[in-house]
Amino acid sequence: MSACEDFLAYLQVERRMSAHTLDAYRRDLAALSGWSEAGSGDPLEALQADQLRQFIAAEHRRGLASKSLQRRLSACRSFYTWLLRQGRIEVDPTAGLRAPRAPRRLPQVLDADEAVRLVELPTDAPLGRRDRALLELFYSSGLRLSELCTLRWRDLDFIGGSVSVVGKGQRQRLVPVGSHACKALLDWRAEGAATAEAPVFPGRGGAFISQRAVQIRIKQLAQRQGLFKHVHPHMLRHSFASHILESSGDLRGVQELLGHADIATTQIYTHLDFQHLAKVYDATHPRARRRKTP
């Protein structure tokens, strides 16, 4: 096998990375390999720092966005770090390389009133109890879409008010489930005889519901509830995190609830919180608003 295939096998077997992440690494390394073959023809193990710098510059000229360039360079760094540890190269050519800085984009969130309006949808429609349980759990616990779609009834503890999920990197965590979400889930479970191993939200044939089906359904439900934003599952996760941080100020706690390995990922919500505070300040402080110049 090539060094690239060996590296991807390592990520899959030892690092237990998801299929989605593996595909991203495969695409990024394939782009580097294609660029090298079209130019010098050197194998990836032989590329030097100046060549990698030229590759990033070429991708930038091709119109690749800053965020995509950063991800592509991150894949290259991981690959060459692994080659160095394996003794296949003597110097890491990615050391000191930098991609163009991506502009920070704050995640969009629902305010508390909008979130309540969304989750408190009527349950008398077909699949109404399922939809209510799905939305309540999303907003109550801040789960990732993949985590929610693969839940089984055995993962829920209604007495303790918690759910056990396996997130990125196969890291397991226990997340609280609010009383409204517990009630909605119990109401949904009462509609059918669900075994402990059965999916909480089954799709066709009783298998786990697909992520795409949940995305489409949430968009439909948001419009039905009069929310004409682009509401999607991750917006509910962002809203959960923002509202918890706004109330508690406990950044480390929010990190644990979200299952972030690095607190720097969670810190974006402090910017959201400041954005809210700045609006309050501008609206209420007598000397905050900038006066228009005559």
Side-chain angles (χ1 to χ4, degrees):
M1 290 201 304
S2 69
C4 184
E5 290 170 336
D6 286 344
F7 172 64
L8 292 171
Y10 155 76
L11 294 180
Q12 182 177 23
V13 176
E14 296 191 33
R15 297 283 302 279
R16 296 184 180 182
M17 287 190 171
S18 68
H20 177 77
T21 304
L22 285 171
D23 285 343
Y25 272 89
R26 187 176 288 109
R27 287 194 301 271
D28 291 334
L29 292 175
L32 176 60
S33 180
W35 176 84
S36 181
E37 288 174 5
S40 66
D42 291 333
L44 296 187
E45 302 96 304
L47 294 181
Q48 302 298 311
D50 60 335
Q51 291 174 294
L52 286 168
R53 195 173 289 110
Q54 291 169 21
F55 166 67
I56 295 298
E59 293 291 88
H60 187 48
R61 287 194 300 272
R62 195 167 63 85
L64 205 64
S66 298
K67 192 171 182 179
S68 299
L69 284 172
Q70 288 180 341
R71 192 205 64 234
R72 190 148 286 180
L73 183 53
S74 177
C76 293
R77 283 199 188 99
S78 297
F79 175 61
Y80 284 103
T81 298
W82 177 81
L83 287 177
L84 189 64
R85 285 203 307 265
Q86 293 288 311
R88 300 194 187 194
I89 58 174
E90 295 181 359
V91 178
D92 180 358
T94 65
L97 288 185
R98 295 288 182 271
R101 181 173 294 178
R104 178 181 289 273
R105 293 181 60 189
L106 296 179
Q108 297 297 307
V109 299
L110 298 172
D111 63 36
D113 290 338
E114 289 172 329
V116 170
R117 190 196 318 170
L118 175 62
V119 301
E120 290 188 347
L121 78 165
T123 58
D124 51 358
L127 292 177
R129 290 187 178 182
R130 184 208 67 177
D131 293 338
R132 177 73 173 265
L134 187 148
L135 291 171
E136 288 276 15
L137 183 57
F138 251 138
Y139 180 55
S140 168
S141 303
L143 303 184
R144 295 181 178 94
L145 175 59
S146 59
E147 294 168 348
L148 180 132
C149 289
T150 54
L151 278 184
R152 300 180 188 272
W153 285 108
R154 61 171 164 79
D155 299 323
L156 287 156
D157 176 4
F158 290 106
I159 297 175
S162 65
V163 60
S164 175
V165 294
V166 178
K168 291 184 177 180
Q170 298 297 301
R171 291 187 295 271
Q172 189 170 18
R173 72 186 190 282
L174 200 64
V175 185
V177 179
S179 59
H180 291 286
C182 282
K183 182 181 184 307
L185 285 160
L186 288 170
D187 288 345
W188 163 233
R189 190 175 67 172
E191 287 204 357
T195 65
E197 293 299 316
V200 175
F201 303 109
R204 292 181 179 177
F208 291 117
I209 193 170
S210 72
Q211 295 185 25
R212 183 60 182 154
V214 174
Q215 290 170 334
I216 293 171
R217 189 60 173 168
I218 286 180
K219 182 179 179 180
Q220 292 171 342
L221 294 172
Q223 291 176 350
R224 185 184 300 173
Q225 291 300 97
L227 299 174
F228 296 101
K229 293 181 176 180
H230 174 49
V231 180
H232 50 85
H234 220 59
M235 180 181 279
L236 288 172
R237 179 169 160 87
H238 289 320
S239 302
F240 160 84
S242 179
H243 298 166
I244 290 288
L245 183 61
E246 187 177 323
S247 300
S248 69
D250 186 350
L251 185 64
R252 187 69 67 179
V254 173
Q255 178 194 2
E256 293 297 324
L257 290 171
L258 292 175
H260 287 161
D262 187 350
I263 199 168
T265 309
T266 318
Q267 283 176 329
I268 192 168
Y269 296 107
T270 63
H271 294 276
L272 280 174
D273 192 42
F274 178 78
Q275 197 174 62
H276 168 74
L277 291 174
K279 287 180 180 178
V280 172
Y281 180 85
D282 286 341
T284 58
H285 195 287
R287 297 181 67 81
R289 297 181 186 178
R290 293 182 180 179
R291 295 183 179 180
K292 295 180 180 179
T293 55

